Amino acid sequence: MEPMRVFYQKTGTAKYISHLDINRCFQRAMKRAGIPLWFTEGFNPHAYLTFPLPLALGYESMCECVDFRLMREMDPVEIVSRLNSVLPMGLNAYAAAPPVYKAADIALAAYEVRLVLADTDPKQAIRILEAFFAQPEITAMKRTQKGEKEISLKQYLHDLKIRPDGDEVLLTVKLPAGNELNINPTLVLDAFGQQTGMLIDQLAVKKTAVFTKDEKNFA
Amino acid sequence: MNSQLEKIFMKVQKPGRYTGGELNSVVKDPSKVDFRFAFCFPDLYEVGMSHLGMKILYSLYNREENMWCERVFAPDTDMEALMRKEGIPLFGLESRDPIRDFDMVGFTLQYEMSYTAILNMLDLAGIPLRTSQRTSLAPMVVAGGPCACNPEPLADFIDLFVLGEGEEVNLELAHLFLQAKKEEWSRGEYLRRAAGIEGVYVPSLYDVSYKEDGTIQSVTPREGAPAVVHKRIIKEIDRVFFPDSFVVPFLETVHDRAVIELFRGCIRGCRFCQAGFIYRPFREKNYETLNKNGCDLCASTGYDEISLSSLSTSDYSQLEDLLEQMLPWTEQDKVNLSLPSLRIDNFSPSLMEKITKVRKSGLTFAPEAGTQRMRDVINKNVTEEEVLATCRTAFEGGYTSVKLYFMMGLPTETKEDIEGVVDLAQKVVDLFYSLPDKPKGKGVNVTVSLACFVPKPFTPFEFEPQDTEEMLREKQHHMVGYNRSKKIRINYHESKTSFLEAVLARGDRRLCAVLEDAWKNGCKLDGWTEHFNYDAWMAAFEKNGIDGTFYANRTRSYDEIMPWDHLDYGVTKQFLIRENQKAHADVPTPNCREKCSGCGANCLIGRSCF
Ligand code: SF4
């Protein structure tokens, strides 16, 4: 019952695989790869895969991970290469190791957001974005289990940078992530859109790193 | 088109239906292939991806180096609205190229209620709806599948139909198309030559004339087309192509599992069942071939379930051998076996043990009718004792819920036959409570699922009228009122859908206009209750001055020319008439293993069946 954590990228078409579907997809990939997953006992045995930080549908990620247990030891390098030979396009394992941190240790995630504002060139878009983020107070509506709740965003925007990149605007930011409080870039940009009346014409979000409370890379 | 698509993918429900990129999907370099085929399933992704025929043809084409087959499904309404708004034509999932630029666009005809989806998909693709409006060689619009046995309601829209099994004839059509491209034939020339291939029906090469009373006067072939088109079958079933991998969807589909095909055809001859006749003769695969098929599929897909598919699983003569081979490795790899369409009458305890070893779930049986007389009429050779004996085995094996399938509106049906359904269900309930070793602390659930009988071509009931809506509703009410038990739940189907099925199943070419108008009135996903619009259909009938009851509720005489009489599926009309007469005399027919009834299907393999 060796615990193991595999890190993988989710890019291209794979970004449209929902969280629920990614679970099934990995179950099958593990089976094809002949990775000796540990199964629950009982009448309908199944393997437990857990995903420490679920990714929103439509986001790409350079740093996803999945946790599971092995029936018997297997070299992490072997696990990675076996998985890569059977994973569908857009899913790419790059590391495997016994987990260092618990899922509950996750505190922050870094994102790269590429966007185009409708009928606005990048320079002008950057001015509008900067003005928005320079406000002393930014509020957003967040959906919680108990319905919609107004939250104040400003305190949660870490290392926000905005720069032009070709025809697009590249925005990088670190946001709270994990069980306690999870803020997605979409939430921030929806607030931007609603409050400025600007229409976001193109939007691509990529998660680039996940950190613990003391800003260590989640491993 | 790609960046445009990316934008709309984010706005629709379940984008995974449209993105492609699934495991084992095949992407080729378009500049290196000579023939591109769009396999269109006229329903949503979740339904289409569950279909074995698509998986077989997909692999069959893609195995050819110079051919590329892609998948296409009917988009859901949200996706369709966005595609129309942004001007995105229907595309193949693999390349995202518009299918109007493909060489061949093929539809599979699995059920009548998918016909409007075909028109909608052609329109979304930007392909002219009617054969007569198409001018260039490509795309050639073809169709096959069970409903191709009476394709007349689609005759104006489909260039050619493939009758019977597709593994050989599809490649023959593809090669003929390659020749046509090279030699720059017109589409008329291609169709004329295609009509010479056995199993290919080109409806535009036949003239149909009608009598005063609306029945068919004659069907006359033109330009050298054969007077009778014979369906194709695979003679050596054990050597037929079978894929060693399936595309594995990301989304959950209706049947998301590996499938092996035990045999084709059926020995039973239940008189209402079209599949039992049009797939004749019975041909089974060797258990070793099947075990290998299953092994290969699980290895390439990672599926944890294999379905043993056929019309009547326990008629497979090597079932015990097959399970013996499969159980060790499936158990070890935690793969579940599922045996759908298991018949009630030869469900032995040892077989039972083998199945429950792997998984326990609800059991389903299909006695189809409530009284012995009615079962004799439909030739469902199951007795009440057998139903009860099987339920007993099931209950003793730990099952507590049973689903029983029945039909109503069967030929010669009386009030007693309707009450007999409930009586039988009640006997199953009583049986449960009478058992000393019934599962402890649990009650029993018997679900009665009632379908409305739809008379189909190439069955002994092709001559029969369907009960009218009022008759069916009355019977449903009577049955529900007759039931006294809370342990019995009765589910019945929408009779309006069954009526349309009955019209289309035995319809002729005059329905093409109705179909087109129904589609124009907004019908496009008729198989889905939330999209089904009966009034839109009725308006289409009215506009064209066509009375649906002529097709659904009329008795045909034995000498009437049926719209499908120029198509040959092996079983002869004389045989169907004989069987119809026996039905009216309450006389059953032995199954093919017991005794050959001379249906004629053995001519297709040129020997006796057993
Ligand atoms: S020819 Fe005889 S054995 Fe063969 S399918 Fe017909 S009835 Fe059955």
Side-chain angles (χ1 to χ4, degrees), chain A residues 13-17 20-21 24-25 27-29 31-32 39-40 43-45 57-59 86-89 91 201-202, chain B residues 6-7 9-10 15-16 19-21 23 96 248-252 256 299-304 333-335 356 359-360:
Chain A
T13 307
K15 74 182 176 198
Y16 298 110
I17 311 172
L20 216 73
D21 295 339
R24 196 171 35 242
C25 171
Q27 297 261 9
R28 288 170 182 162
K31 196 158 217 163
R32 291 191 296 274
F39 276 68
T40 58
F43 210 82
N44 187 9
L57 184 75
Y59 285 15
V86 299
L87 277 172
M89 218 169 36
L91 294 175
D201 197 31
Q202 262 181 52
Chain B
E6 295 281 333
K7 266 197 232 168
F9 285 160
M10 285 311 297
T19 57
L23 181 81
R96 297 185 185 171
V248 183
F250 295 123
L251 297 180
E252 206 161 3
D256 196 7
S300 68
T301 60
Y303 274 134
D304 59 6
D333 296 350
K334 309 209 168 45
V335 172
T356 46
R359 195 177 205 170
K360 208 176 265 195

Side-chain angles (χ1 to χ4, degrees), chain A residues 47 51-52 98 101 118 129 139 148 154 156 200:
Chain A
F51 295 78
Y101 299 106
L129 283 159
T139 57
E148 290 228 317
K154 187 80 181 196
Y156 299 129
I200 298 174

Side-chain angles (χ1 to χ4, degrees), chain B residues 172-191:
Chain B
E172 291 165 25
L173 280 169
H175 283 118
L176 188 71
F177 196 88
L178 286 175
Q179 190 188 349
K181 276 213 302 198
K182 207 162 94 207
E183 298 173 10
E184 298 179 7
W185 301 351
S186 66
R187 63 186 290 116
E189 173 77 12
Y190 176 78
L191 286 171

